Amino acid sequence: MTSPRRTFAIISHPDAGKTTLTEKLLVAGGAIHLAGEVKARGANRRARSDWMKIEQQRGISVTSSVMTFERAFDDLGVITFNLLDTPGHEDFSEDTYRTLTAVDSAVMVIDAARGIEAQTRKLFEVCRLRSVPIITFVNKVDREGRPVFELLDEIADMLALDVAPMSWPIGMGGEFEGVLDLETGGVSRPEGDSRNFQGKVDTDVTLPERFAEEVELAQAGYAEFDAEAYRNGDLTPVYFGSALKDFGVAELIDALARHAPAPRPQPAEPAPIAPEADEVTGFVFKVQANMDPNHRDRIAFMRLCSGTFKRGMKLTPTGHGKPIAVHSPILFFAQNREVADEAFPGDIIGIPNHGTLRVGDTLSERADIRFTGLPNFAPEILRRVALKDPTKTKQLRKALDDMAEEGVTQVFYPEIGSNWIVGVVGQLQLEVLISRLEAEYKVAAGLEPAPFDTARWVTGDAGDLKAFADLNRGAMAKDRDGNPVFLAKSAWEIGYVADRYPKVRFNATRER
Ligand code: G4P
């Protein structure tokens, strides 16, 4: 018997409290028992992947992982939650973007004192692009925050969507007295030692006058929760709490269970695939190479979209390759990588392989469908790769292709000349690239400025494309898969050529 799935990610600005919240969610779900284990696990993971020096030097986590926990509800039964962790550092946005293609909903964590920040907004836009609905958790109400109305208005304005407060903080910081549930009128009050609030619910409360007024205004001024508007991405329910003090976390899990969508049909060709379909299908949204420096293994992270996956099953990547027998799939429980026997739509499976599986691949039993909509993003920084030892050209090409396949960096091979160009979405990825070239491929290389600023995938009628490419040969390149790319000196130049060649499309994203 399979339990319903909630596959979700947490999006936030670094420091908003994602790690703390993750830990508390896992504790509440019974997946781990001691606070602090997520961080310990982070340190463990770093030890395991010490090939990635940057990770250690900067103390940040570059990999994203999957955590599964279950919770039983009186009325809903057992629900399985798959939490896909996304790297918090803004430079790893592309990795984060791709993780968001594999979830059905997201929790947006906002620091009550800081509100919506640029990165959170960017991630939100990706969610919108993918129709991923969002539950908002305003964190750190135990600290002095901004006025609640100001915060809610900012969310509504910056993200252009309705906000529906589901709870209301009674005071913040030193004045914090608890959180009012706007639906039931119950107030959870802090209880116990100061490190851990937990919740004691009072149903018979008279609010201090100031808050009673606030709550009345709020109820009149903001949207009421509407499940359909939420699922369409037009409305976000807002909860208040403190991850650190474990306050409001249970309510958040409850909200995910009750409102967040179960696995939905996924866009595919020739037709969308419903989770109920018999055939096992899924797509790869992440590939992690060289997790163990002694083995050139890779783990492809596949989101299961339909069917019941059973260990040993043969799956075929659409468009390339032979069927792969998946003998040792990995399911990600909070503490260990465990071998899975069965998995259901919405679950993530790690498939060890030797480089056959790539980001964007569709896997299925019959190989007659293809999932669509896994984007490649236009790089924001381009650099020329300068090889220090010219005899290593072959190794360099292999390394660049590998890393492009993982989606760590993009690589462009110019039509003219032999200077390969790498593109990244954030600066830190360049450091990761150089460090991995050395550590994993024994290639010493440097990066030089490229005469280009950004890239666009060009599409259109073959004749129009050829005419355009012939006249702009010096700026044309191919990506790893041989798709034509226009390298532009500036954003302005893109506008300029787009005006001059109205029949050619200049795409900032490319579907894999
Ligand atoms: P991130 O993953 O989003 O980057 O955030 P993280 O959970 O690491 O939290 C960032 C900082 O905010 C941490 O403090 C954490 O303890 C604190 N924090 C998280 N939730 C709350 C909350 O509800 N209330 C308060 N007051 N603080 C919160 P730090 O000092 O940077 O780290 P640490 O020394 O506590 O590990």
Side-chain angles (χ1 to χ4, degrees), residues 12-21 39 139-143 241-245:
S12 70
H13 187 273
D15 266 353
K18 189 175 66 182
T19 309
T20 313
L21 181 63
K39 280 205 174 149
N139 191 30
K140 306 196 187 182
V141 294
D142 59 310
R143 280 219 297 235
S242 162
L244 187 66
K245 303 272 166 96

Side-chain angles (χ1 to χ4, degrees), residues 10 227 265 279 281 312 348 350 358 390 410 413 447 466 478 492:
I10 302 179
E279 186 186 3
T281 67
I348 310 300
R358 297 165 46 181
Q410 295 174 28
Y413 300 107
L447 296 172
K466 186 172 180 312
K478 289 210 166 14
W492 177 86

Side-chain angles (χ1 to χ4, degrees), residues 282-364:
F283 62 83
V284 176
F285 63 94
K286 181 186 174 67
V287 172
Q288 181 81 50
N290 304 348
M291 280 172 102
D292 175 350
N294 299 317
H295 302 98
R296 282 283 155 115
D297 71 333
R298 286 144 204 260
I299 308 283
F301 293 74
M302 177 182 92
R303 176 193 157 112
L304 192 62
C305 298
S306 67
T308 300
F309 171 86
K310 290 199 162 58
R311 179 129 81 107
M313 196 166 228
K314 283 203 174 81
L315 295 176
T316 306
T318 304
H320 67 95
K322 294 190 284 282
I324 306 173
V326 188
H327 290 302
S328 36
I330 296 163
L331 257 197
F332 299 85
F333 289 102
Q335 295 180 74
N336 306 305
R337 306 200 290 183
E338 289 184 12
V339 175
D341 286 324
E342 273 192 336
F344 304 95
D347 286 343
I348 310 300
I349 305 168
I351 305 176
N353 69 99
H354 298 293
T356 32
L357 294 180
R358 297 165 46 181
V359 170
D361 277 352
T362 295
L363 285 164
S364 63

Side-chain angles (χ1 to χ4, degrees), residues 456 458 468 472 475 486-488 490-504 506:
R456 289 291 181 271
V458 289
F468 173 76
N472 293 281
F486 173 68
L487 301 170
S490 63
W492 177 86
E493 192 188 14
I494 295 169
Y496 177 77
V497 294
D499 276 352
R500 286 188 55 199
Y501 299 92
K503 289 185 180 153
V504 175
F506 298 84

Side-chain angles (χ1 to χ4, degrees), residues 42 45-47 49-63 87 89 91-92 288 403 408-409 426-440 447:
R45 189 169 58 198
R46 276 196 282 282
S49 56
D50 61 3
W51 47 269
M52 202 162 247
K53 293 196 195 100
I54 298 271
E55 220 181 36
Q56 292 174 317
Q57 283 162 6
R58 299 257 188 131
I60 56 161
S61 156
V62 181
T63 54
H89 199 286
D91 275 348
F92 284 87
Q288 181 81 50
M403 279 186 252
V408 172
T409 47
Q427 180 71 30
L428 188 58
Q429 282 166 293
L430 293 175
E431 294 173 41
V432 170
L433 173 77
I434 292 301
S435 137
R436 289 187 57 184
L437 279 178
E438 244 177 82
E440 291 168 30
L447 296 172

